[in-house]
Amino acid sequence: MIDIPRELAASQEKFNGEAGRAFIAGLPELTERFLDHWDLRPDGPAMHGVSALVLPVVRADGTAAVLKLQIPDEESEGEPVALRAWNGDGAVRLLDHDEPTGTMLLERLDETRMLSHVPDAHQAVVTIAELLAHLTSFPAPPGIRRLGDIAGAMLDRTPWALTRIPDPEARRLVADCAATVREVADEPGDRLLHWDLHDENVLASGRAPWLAIDPKPLAGDPGFELWPALDNRFDPDDIVWRFDAMTGILALDRPRAHAWTLGRLLQNTLWDIEDGRRVDDAQLEIARRLRARGL
């Protein structure tokens, strides 16, 4: 019997309601089912993120791995597709997958060595950029969510969102972001994007210095990938350096990368408003600094 982390149960209830409570209630049985199905032995306490339980295990041949259990949804359905495409090249390797339940067996990385632990923020940004340059060199497989569809839906929601931003300066900034996204929305790109490569989604490995985990894959423009590294360890005076360093390493067209980065602010703003939160000042500052960059 495994212990279900209280924090995972709370986040499942918060974000998924009744479906989340049912998932948590069924986790012990689901875990036992796949331990038996894939001939696995538990090998340490369970870990978790916002939505998934991750259990260290050992395979019958003695290989260390992790069992990842999560609710099947649009994001989790795309994860094994992306991991198969990368095939361990810059990302964690997928060992097995059960499509109906979304359960995955993954290679085990070193969870004690996370990129967020690297004290030099510039080195962390460079590492993320180098990983992204490699990961986004892959064409997106068929069936992956498309950035063009997401951008269109964001632009459709923008007029509604603007009426719910009381501060005039913030409202103008978000409106400017939407106008900039509209200029590139007809050419959304076709690369395989991770979409969530922040410094806690990069772990060390015995076979590579750093590997990406937990993708929320999209087909789109690599410029849409920069936001997490701009926001990690937020430093307003470092934003332009990070943007220039990342676009240089990824060899991106800077005006297009600027537009798609402002698209991330638009997306985050829509999420905040839909959840009843005020627009985050730090995120607005990223947009201000990039706009002042004059791209």
Side-chain angles (χ1 to χ4, degrees), residues 5-286:
R6 267 185 246 170
E7 297 86 354
L8 177 61
S11 67
Q12 280 292 340
E13 180 160 8
K14 176 181 178 180
F15 295 112
N16 295 312
E18 181 55 40
R21 289 190 290 274
F23 170 70
I24 293 298
L27 256 182
E29 181 180 348
L30 187 66
T31 303
E32 291 299 327
R33 171 183 161 191
F34 281 99
L35 289 174
D36 180 65
H37 178 61
W38 285 328
D39 197 8
L40 307 172
R41 172 173 55 82
D43 190 40
M47 301 171 287
H48 68 92
V50 174
S51 60
L53 181 79
V54 179
L55 181 67
V57 295
V58 175
R59 305 177 82 183
D61 64 1
T63 304
V66 295
L67 185 64
K68 184 175 182 179
L69 304 109
Q70 57 195 343
I71 292 181
D73 58 17
E74 196 172 40
E75 290 183 358
S76 62
E77 286 170 7
E79 184 174 357
V81 177
L83 293 179
R84 284 196 191 98
W86 289 319
N87 192 29
D89 195 356
V92 65
R93 181 171 283 120
L94 178 69
L95 304 176
D96 214 331
H97 172 234
D98 180 71
E99 187 172 349
T101 65
T103 303
M104 292 186 291
L105 186 65
L106 303 165
E107 73 171 310
R108 195 189 306 181
L109 307 183
D110 187 350
E111 76 280 358
T112 69
R113 294 167 59 210
M114 194 177 290
L115 187 59
S116 61
H117 301 158
V118 171
D120 186 342
H122 281 192
Q123 183 55 55
V125 169
V126 168
T127 296
I128 287 176
E130 290 172 345
L131 279 173
L132 287 174
H134 187 68
L135 296 174
T136 60
S137 70
F138 287 73
I144 292 288
R145 290 170 299 170
R146 308 199 69 81
L147 177 56
D149 296 333
I150 289 172
M154 290 194 300
L155 293 172
D156 288 344
R157 293 290 281 166
T158 298
W160 167 85
L162 291 175
T163 66
R164 287 157 174 81
I165 302 175
D167 178 68
E169 190 269 341
R171 190 165 58 246
R172 283 193 301 271
L173 184 57
V174 173
D176 287 348
C177 289
T180 304
V181 170
R182 194 170 286 109
E183 293 175 1
V184 296
D186 290 340
E187 297 181 48
D190 63 355
R191 300 290 89 191
L192 180 54
L193 308 185
H194 183 287
W195 195 12
D196 194 30
L197 198 60
H198 54 75
D199 59 8
E200 292 185 355
N201 272 345
V202 180
L203 299 182
S205 165
R207 67 176 179 86
W210 298 106
L211 293 171
I213 65 168
D214 201 22
K216 309 292 187 285
L218 286 177
D221 190 303
F224 201 62
E225 292 275 45
L226 308 185
W227 186 274
L230 298 175
D231 194 36
N232 286 162
R233 311 186 215 185
F234 178 70
D235 180 351
D237 294 330
D238 210 32
I239 291 167
V240 171
W241 182 91
R242 295 184 191 191
F243 179 83
D244 287 348
M246 295 184 78
T247 52
I249 291 168
L250 276 86
L252 299 181
D253 176 87
R254 281 183 173 153
R256 288 187 62 81
H258 172 255
W260 283 118
T261 300
L262 295 184
R264 291 294 287 263
L265 171 69
L266 181 61
Q267 184 176 62
N268 292 343
T269 297
L270 290 168
W271 285 339
D272 285 343
I273 293 171
E274 287 163 1
D275 290 343
R277 299 189 300 267
R278 66 187 299 274
V279 182
D280 184 78
D281 289 336
Q283 304 221 1
L284 291 172
E285 186 62 20
I286 293 174

